Amino acid sequence: MARVKRGVTAHARHKKILDLAKGYRGRGSKAYRVAIEKVEKGLQYAYRDRRNKKRAFRGLWIQRINAAVREHGMTYSQFMNGILKAGVEVDRKVMADLAAREPAVFKALVDQAQAALK
């Protein structure tokens, strides 16, 4: 029975990790043992931050809506309460975009919210 030489498999495994470690500083991109640690930690951060990105964007949309609504003499919470009572089903992402790009359309939303609160 012929012996099995595993150099090809090991080389492929090392290459896969070192390719993922491209751009890391110092031995983090050169030494396999260090690169494994760096890549695993990087993948953990990526997994965590894919979720945190959703939180961050929601916060950004809320800030933009709040700033736009205050120009019309309302607070964010009053506006959202009015929108809910008016039955307008537009999400925060779209509202933030309207506030930045289409002020006239956003003003119509604010007017709807104010009318629903009265």
Side-chain angles (χ1 to χ4, degrees):
M1 190 174 201
R3 74 186 178 105
V4 176
K5 296 173 70 178
R6 296 175 41 102
V8 175
T9 311
H11 182 73
R13 195 170 61 244
H14 286 209
K15 186 169 167 26
K16 183 171 72 174
I17 294 294
L18 290 172
D19 282 345
L20 288 171
K22 243 186 190 51
Y24 291 176
R25 293 184 61 131
R27 290 197 323 151
S29 66
K30 304 280 188 280
Y32 176 69
R33 195 179 286 188
V34 179
I36 288 175
E37 295 172 9
K38 300 282 186 189
V39 165
E40 285 179 353
K41 192 65 173 178
L43 292 172
Q44 288 172 357
Y45 285 140
Y47 179 84
R48 178 197 70 190
D49 291 338
R50 279 195 296 276
R51 279 130 194 92
N52 288 356
K53 182 169 70 170
K54 293 164 184 56
R55 280 183 228 163
F57 270 105
R58 183 182 168 98
L60 178 65
W61 299 329
I62 289 171
Q63 287 176 356
R64 287 179 177 172
I65 293 167
N66 191 17
V69 162
R70 285 182 186 271
E71 290 177 358
H72 300 292
M74 289 180 84
T75 64
Y76 171 78
S77 62
Q78 290 169 342
F79 173 70
M80 291 310 285
N81 187 24
I83 285 292
L84 190 73
K85 286 182 178 174
V88 176
E89 292 189 15
V90 179
D91 63 1
R92 287 166 179 80
K93 179 180 178 179
V94 173
M95 276 194 251
D97 194 51
L98 287 175
R101 298 174 197 264
E102 305 284 341
V105 176
F106 189 75
K107 173 74 170 114
L109 278 177
V110 173
D111 293 340
Q112 274 188 309
Q114 284 173 333
L117 287 174
K118 290 181 181 168

